[in-house]
Amino acid sequence: MLQTAETWLRHPTVAKMISFGVIGVANAVIDFGVFSIAYQVLKTFLTSAFAIADGVLDIPLALANVIAWMVAVSCSYVMNTMITFRAESGRVLRWKDYSVFAASGLLGMITNTATLLLLSKVMPVYAAKICAIFTAFVVNFAMSHFVVFRTKPRA
């Protein structure tokens, strides 16, 4: 059994998934923290302004989620460039790569927000946020691995 675990850990994709996951945990903490603060502030100041839309779409909830995503995606790009995808990126931060990373993360953010909005109707908001973070992880890893940091073909 130990032999099998060692074999799996030597596989580059598995090692990247583990690294991406550890960084993802750090980013989940960042995401959750920024979301919690932004949601409380926005709920206090925007709920009355958007009372008409409240039954259809929880504006403070969605906006807090987008703000949290913007902070977390920036932290994620830096950490993944320097650690998980260091060979592919050369550990160099580039605006173009950040733009592609953030654009690919939009799919994860949409998944995250949709999950949050749907689940917040049937469970507490913070539990729904945790579920939303996990669903977005799958989408974000796939986009990072297969689109953003894919190995460039040799010339």
Side-chain angles (χ1 to χ4, degrees):
M1 173 110 172
L2 186 57
Q3 185 73 14
T4 306
E6 288 175 9
T7 303
W8 271 100
L9 289 174
R10 276 187 263 146
H11 193 277
T13 302
V14 173
K16 283 182 185 179
M17 285 180 82
I18 292 169
S19 176
F20 193 84
V22 170
I23 289 170
V25 169
N27 279 308
V29 170
I30 292 165
D31 185 341
F32 193 83
V34 172
F35 169 80
S36 298
I37 294 166
Y39 181 56
Q40 291 303 314
V41 169
L42 292 170
K43 187 170 69 169
T44 300
F45 293 107
L46 294 181
T47 299
S48 59
F50 291 100
I52 296 170
D54 192 40
V56 179
L57 175 65
D58 190 336
I59 301 295
L61 188 65
L63 187 56
N65 202 52
V66 171
I67 291 167
W69 174 81
M70 290 170 60
V71 173
V73 78
S74 298
C75 293
S76 182
Y77 170 72
V78 171
M79 287 189 273
N80 279 299
T81 296
M82 297 300 172
I83 301 167
T84 307
F85 300 102
R86 64 188 173 276
E88 295 84 351
S89 70
R91 291 187 173 171
V92 176
L93 301 172
R94 297 176 186 89
W95 281 110
K96 180 182 177 200
D97 291 344
Y98 173 76
S99 299
V100 172
F101 185 81
S104 75
L106 282 174
L107 186 57
M109 191 266 299
I110 291 167
T111 302
N112 185 308
T113 303
T115 302
L116 174 64
L117 291 172
L118 290 171
L119 292 181
S120 69
K121 302 293 183 197
V122 297
M123 65 176 55
V125 166
Y126 295 108
K129 177 62 179 169
I130 291 168
C131 293
I133 288 170
F134 284 114
T135 59
F137 170 82
V138 174
V139 173
N140 289 332
F141 178 78
M143 292 300 292
S144 291
H145 183 69
F146 296 112
V147 177
V148 180
F149 295 108
R150 72 182 182 279
T151 303
K152 311 288 190 277
R154 295 179 190 224

